[in-house]
Amino acid sequence: MTNKIILITLLYFLSNSTFSQEVNLIIYDIKEERHLRQENSFIELTSTINGLDIDNLNQVKLKNITSALDDNGNVLDKMESFFGDDYSTKNELTIKLEAPSRKSNELLTVEGIIKLFSPSEANGSIIKISNPLDLYNKNLLPKNITDVTLTLIDKEALKKLREEDDEAFKKQIEQIKEETGLGDGVAESFIGVFKQFFEGLSNFGSGESMSFYVDDEKDKIVDIIIYNGTGELMNMGSSRMGKNNLSINLKEKVASDWRIEVMIENAKSIKEYNFSLSNIVLP
């Protein structure tokens, strides 16, 4: 592993103003890993970000790479980082690319976009939900959010109903669909999809947990945080089965005075910064 220090300037231009904000992206580490199969080889650039206040309410992620070329003219596709490309509360950004040609001495250019997510109640990207026990099998998100649904599933009650009366179970699922819009466009047969979903929930999320059906094609939901009645954080990790099944493990059994907070992207909470760097000498 070879360490390199590279300074990149990013500009964020506000659409209705001549104001611009300068941000420094400093590459401090370049890691190149080679394997027998070229498609498994990669180069990873790690940077710090100066000029942005990054914390729990100002999170950053790599949106995409728009161009990456080595000095032999090879296009380098973006690869997902080992821990994924989710939002981070650290002022650090990792860019993982396909490995350049073995004959390459430098990357001619790497260009892309980073996103800054600044959620708040005021801009509508923090949604607080009280009394979750009263909201089972309902979409928790407000009606003005039309492209995402988050349904809290009463797993135990549905499990019992399915065991005792399959027809009643089907009617309950249809009612959930009508109330939430859940499953529209997901599959031709909603009941069949939900049965698969429910069977999946039955097989994971052991112990105390909350189970959700998530319909979020554009991955706008950033985080779901659960607090007890005294404001103590109850999350103990989460599990996913497929794209729609989510189970959040809890420290204790859910009670009526708990609160759920959903962080979700919207136009007011996101700013994007283009970056461009060139002539990165390879290790």
Side-chain angles (χ1 to χ4, degrees):
M1 183 185 298
T2 302
N3 292 339
K4 305 284 184 183
I5 303 295
I6 301 170
L7 178 66
I8 307 111
T9 299
L10 302 90
L11 291 178
Y12 167 66
F13 296 97
L14 297 179
S15 59
N16 296 320
S17 172
T18 57
F19 172 80
S20 66
Q21 180 177 351
E22 185 174 290
V23 179
N24 292 324
L25 182 65
I26 303 173
I27 304 295
Y28 68 85
D29 185 63
I30 300 177
K31 176 184 177 181
E32 188 174 2
E33 189 171 302
R34 296 285 183 178
H35 297 271
L36 292 176
R37 300 182 65 175
Q38 175 65 16
E39 60 266 30
N40 295 329
S41 301
F42 65 88
I43 187 166
E44 199 167 66
L45 314 176
T46 306
S47 68
T48 56
I49 305 169
N50 293 334
L52 294 177
D53 294 325
I54 300 173
D55 50 35
N56 288 337
L57 293 181
N58 294 279
Q59 304 177 28
V60 70
K61 71 181 289 187
L62 178 65
K63 179 181 179 181
N64 59 31
I65 296 296
T66 56
S67 176
L69 294 171
D70 67 18
D71 55 1
N72 286 295
N74 297 305
V75 176
L76 310 178
D77 290 334
K78 177 183 175 297
M79 300 176 70
E80 185 173 339
S81 298
F82 181 76
F83 292 106
D85 293 316
D86 295 331
Y87 280 104
S88 172
T89 57
K90 299 179 180 179
N91 66 329
E92 184 174 283
L93 190 71
T94 298
I95 302 169
K96 186 176 181 180
L97 302 169
E98 291 179 334
S101 165
R102 292 182 182 273
K103 296 179 181 180
S104 295
N105 296 310
E106 63 180 14
L107 302 183
L108 289 183
T109 181
V110 177
E111 298 177 347
I113 302 171
I114 63 172
K115 295 171 71 173
L116 180 70
F117 176 56
S118 301
S120 69
E121 283 190 85
N123 66 27
S125 57
I126 293 181
I127 299 165
K128 295 184 178 181
I129 300 125
S130 301
N131 306 316
L133 291 181
D134 296 333
L135 299 172
Y136 274 130
N137 305 328
K138 299 180 183 297
N139 180 18
L140 302 181
L141 303 181
K143 292 182 179 180
N144 66 306
I145 299 176
T146 58
D147 56 347
V148 183
T149 58
L150 177 68
T151 304
L152 177 62
I153 301 300
D154 189 349
K155 184 173 68 172
E156 294 304 318
L158 286 174
K159 180 180 178 181
K160 182 178 180 181
L161 184 62
R162 186 182 181 192
E163 290 173 349
E164 294 178 351
D165 189 338
D166 192 59
E167 287 302 315
F169 172 79
K170 291 179 181 179
K171 289 180 181 179
Q172 179 67 55
I173 301 312
E174 286 291 352
Q175 183 179 345
I176 294 171
K177 178 185 175 182
E178 291 174 4
E179 290 180 354
T180 66
L182 186 65
D184 289 347
V186 175
E188 183 175 351
S189 173
F190 174 75
I191 290 181
V193 168
F194 195 88
K195 279 189 174 183
Q196 293 176 12
F197 159 76
F198 182 73
E199 288 166 358
L201 279 180
S202 300
N203 295 325
F204 81 110
S206 58
E208 299 299 336
S209 64
M210 275 187 168
S211 300
F212 300 87
Y213 187 97
V214 184
D215 190 357
D216 183 16
E217 289 298 320
K218 296 182 179 179
D219 296 324
K220 289 187 174 182
I221 294 177
V222 175
D223 205 358
I224 300 171
I225 307 167
I226 302 170
Y227 299 95
N228 68 7
T230 62
E232 181 184 356
L233 181 67
M234 290 288 101
N235 297 57
M236 289 189 64
S238 61
S239 305
R240 273 192 180 271
M241 179 172 286
K243 189 172 180 63
N244 304 109
N245 303 6
L246 172 65
S247 180
I248 297 178
N249 299 319
L250 305 171
K251 293 180 181 178
E252 56 192 56
K253 186 177 179 64
V254 65
S256 59
D257 62 348
W258 283 27
R259 182 178 84 251
I260 300 173
E261 291 190 8
V262 181
M263 292 187 179
I264 186 167
E265 290 183 351
N266 62 22
K268 294 181 180 180
S269 65
I270 296 293
K271 293 180 181 178
E272 296 186 352
Y273 300 83
N274 295 318
F275 67 86
S276 178
L277 58 136
S278 59
N279 305 116
I280 304 170
V281 179
L282 298 174

